[in-house]
Amino acid sequence: MSYFDAASAAPLHPVARQALLAALDDGWADPSRLYREGRKARMLLDAAREAAAEAVGCRTDELTFTPSGTQAVHAGVAGALAGRRRAGRHLIVSAVEHSSVLHSAEAFEAEGGEVTQVPVSRQGAVDAGSYEAALRPGTALACLQSANHEVGTVQPVAAVAEACRAAGVPLLVDAAQSLGWERVEGDWSLLTASAHKWGGPAGVGLLVVRKGVRFAVQGASDERESGRSPGFENLPAIVAAAASLRAVRADAEREAARLRELTARIRARVPELVPDVEVVGDADRRLPGIVTFSCLYVDGETLLHELDREGFAVSSGSSCTSSTLTPSHVLKAMGVLSEGNVRVSLPAGTAEGDVERFLDVLPGVVAGVREKLGAPPVTSAVRAPEAPEVVVDSLGKRCPIPVIELAKVIGSVPVGGLVRVLSDDEAARLDIPAWCEMRGQEYEGEEPADRGTAYLVRRVD
């Protein structure tokens, strides 16, 4: 099996495994106790904190270990907002933040707070000027990821941090995807991360709160981890997380260059090998190992299953693989195609031969899925006697069927004619405009329909 889903969870690093096993023997006692075994555990915890703080670029007393990256985000957002309650009740986030940040924002909004979502470009990047424009009197906190977990786009954290600092607003950075590669640049105020993203064990997160940042712990607390993460520390996992972070960073520059070459190869060759594909995310300002693309006329769930059958583990932001049947909020915010979406995220050590085999297998897999779904011949529509308007009833059908049926009939209207696609699938709101942009047709918007929405497409050629 070629594992290409490191952005979800990187394989356990050998150093993490060694450190975990060693700490199970030496780090089982309560590090708050004064007897020998307790002191031994305390030494391990202190050493892990020093190693993690060095990697982050912060003081040891600014760093807290948490049970997960998600818990670090929730604690960080809630604590910073509560600490600055007198400053105001306004929170700024980007539209492509990790769900943990957006869920925190939803909870804050439910309690009476106000949230501004800063939009992103089609490449998935925020504009630092837009963040600055969103700042205002009463802004308590701003949040921005260092890099996007779905498409790999690196965000302008340093520029946003400078604007926030000038306005006196703390910036929380979700560094989960990037911390294994490098420190986060800029004068940020809070930072969160998750060990399983860089090859540490699951169940360890980092929360960094810079000195001088007003912070009020929410919920019950105790004397552990400065009161910011109550409960007995999972010391073996913490030791393994810190050891693996130091190990991956020692090799990060060399490995990043190698993975960038492999992902650049995928970005260039997938559109050559597979017709009607959109490669998404910034081509230059991106993480080393992530490349994401979407295939027209493809059911994402079937595509992932077929790739798994061929020995490749990949993930998807397609609504066709989602239990909610709604497209990824990241792809939706970018305005790109969501159907048939594939995220390839290469772990450290990925062999060049595995990437080549993926490129060999992918065209046949996509073609097979398209054939099963009855997709039209690529780059052409089915011709029929011309009518000034055609109605496509796709009610009750899920992606990518509405787009497939649109593609089949677009040739049956004259140039300037209209196709009205009826759909109750939320993904159609994103995928039909994306199809129009890819195929050079004009999207005219949407209208309410009896049991869904009518999407209007004007034939251009």
Side-chain angles (χ1 to χ4, degrees):
M1 170 64 73
S2 296
Y3 181 76
F4 288 176
D5 195 22
S8 293
L12 191 66
H13 195 282
V15 169
R17 183 182 300 276
Q18 295 169 5
L20 181 65
L21 293 175
L24 286 172
D25 291 331
D26 295 331
W28 52 267
D30 187 342
S32 68
R33 301 308 179 194
L34 299 179
Y35 42 74
R36 180 182 302 172
E37 295 300 332
R39 295 197 306 272
K40 188 186 297 184
R42 170 56 62 181
M43 290 175 63
L44 288 173
L45 180 59
D46 290 346
R49 198 183 312 277
E50 289 176 8
E54 181 183 6
V56 171
C58 67
R59 295 168 39 147
T60 55
D61 59 353
E62 294 174 332
L63 187 146
T64 297
F65 292 110
T66 66
S68 69
T70 294
Q71 200 276 339
V73 167
H74 291 170
V77 172
L81 288 171
R84 285 179 45 82
R85 189 179 183 90
R86 290 184 179 180
R89 298 280 287 162
H90 178 230
L91 169 66
I92 302 173
V93 300
S94 84
V96 294
E97 293 299 311
H98 188 269
S99 58
S100 60
V101 174
L102 298 183
H103 291 160
S104 292
E106 290 170 2
F108 177 64
E109 202 167 26
E111 295 170 353
E114 185 178 354
V115 178
T116 295
Q117 277 199 10
V118 178
V120 297
S121 68
R122 194 170 178 85
Q123 288 70 44
V126 302
D127 176 67
S130 298
Y131 248 84
E132 185 174 7
L135 294 165
R136 68 189 195 205
T139 301
L141 178 68
C143 299
L144 179 63
Q145 60 194 194
S146 56
N148 187 261
H149 55 286
E150 287 195 31
V151 300
T153 298
V154 172
Q155 303 291 2
V157 171
V160 171
E162 183 178 354
C164 289
R165 180 68 63 179
V169 174
L171 175 68
L172 184 149
V173 178
D174 169 18
Q177 288 295 343
S178 72
L179 192 61
W181 296 109
E182 60 186 359
R183 289 182 178 179
V184 176
E185 297 181 352
D187 197 8
W188 47 267
S189 302
L190 302 97
L191 179 143
T192 62
S194 188
H196 72 277
K197 301 291 188 179
W198 65 68
V204 180
L206 302 182
L207 170 61
V208 179
V209 182
R210 294 284 200 192
K211 290 295 181 184
V213 175
R214 292 187 176 275
F215 192 91
V217 175
Q218 299 301 286
S221 64
D222 57 25
E223 72 281 359
R224 299 179 188 275
E225 293 300 306
S226 303
R228 292 175 183 160
S229 183
F232 201 100
E233 298 93 344
N234 184 351
L235 187 52
I238 287 172
V239 170
S244 58
L245 180 56
R246 174 180 285 175
V248 298
R249 287 283 284 277
D251 198 37
E253 185 175 354
R254 182 193 65 81
E255 188 62 19
R258 200 179 68 83
L259 291 185
R260 284 189 190 282
E261 193 280 327
L262 293 177
T263 52
R265 189 180 309 181
I266 297 172
R267 286 182 66 88
R269 290 186 58 190
V270 165
E272 297 173 354
L273 297 168
V274 182
D276 290 328
V277 163
E278 182 178 16
V279 181
V280 302
D282 195 291
D284 300 312
R285 287 183 53 82
R286 59 184 304 100
L287 290 172
I290 298 180
V291 56
T292 305
F293 56 89
S294 299
C295 308
L296 272 177
Y297 318 134
V298 169
D299 170 9
E301 185 171 5
T302 302
L303 179 57
L304 263 59
H305 282 313
E306 292 300 318
L307 286 171
D308 179 55
R309 195 174 311 221
E310 294 289 340
F312 295 98
V314 299
S315 63
S316 174
S318 171
S319 62
C320 311
T321 64
S322 169
S323 60
T324 62
L325 295 178
T326 57
S328 149
H329 71 278
V330 172
L331 301 178
K332 186 175 182 180
M334 294 168 62
V336 298
L337 183 70
S338 75
E339 68 183 48
N341 178 260
V342 174
R343 181 187 67 182
V344 174
S345 49
L346 306 178
T350 296
E352 180 180 1
D354 288 344
V355 171
E356 286 299 323
R357 192 170 71 85
F358 175 78
L359 292 170
D360 289 341
V361 165
L362 182 67
V365 169
V366 173
V369 174
R370 284 173 170 167
E371 184 177 3
K372 289 179 182 177
L373 292 172
V378 293
T379 69
S380 64
V382 176
R383 300 292 169 181
E386 293 187 344
E389 180 174 315
V390 171
V391 176
V392 175
D393 187 352
S394 291
L395 294 168
K397 300 175 183 178
R398 301 303 175 191
C399 84
I401 302 303
V403 176
I404 288 176
E405 294 185 341
L406 165 62
K408 285 181 175 180
V409 305
I410 191 70
S412 65
V413 299
V415 172
L418 191 71
V419 178
R420 187 181 301 270
V421 183
L422 305 179
S423 177
D424 52 3
D425 180 10
E426 179 64 24
R429 181 167 281 111
L430 180 61
D431 290 345
I432 289 176
W435 179 89
C436 291
E437 180 161 336
M438 293 176 68
R439 300 302 295 273
Q441 306 299 339
E442 182 180 353
Y443 178 66
E444 293 198 346
E446 60 181 70
E447 297 176 351
D450 288 342
R451 292 187 293 121
T453 302
Y455 300 95
L456 310 180
V457 177
R458 183 80 59 184
R459 183 182 168 193
V460 174
D461 58 15

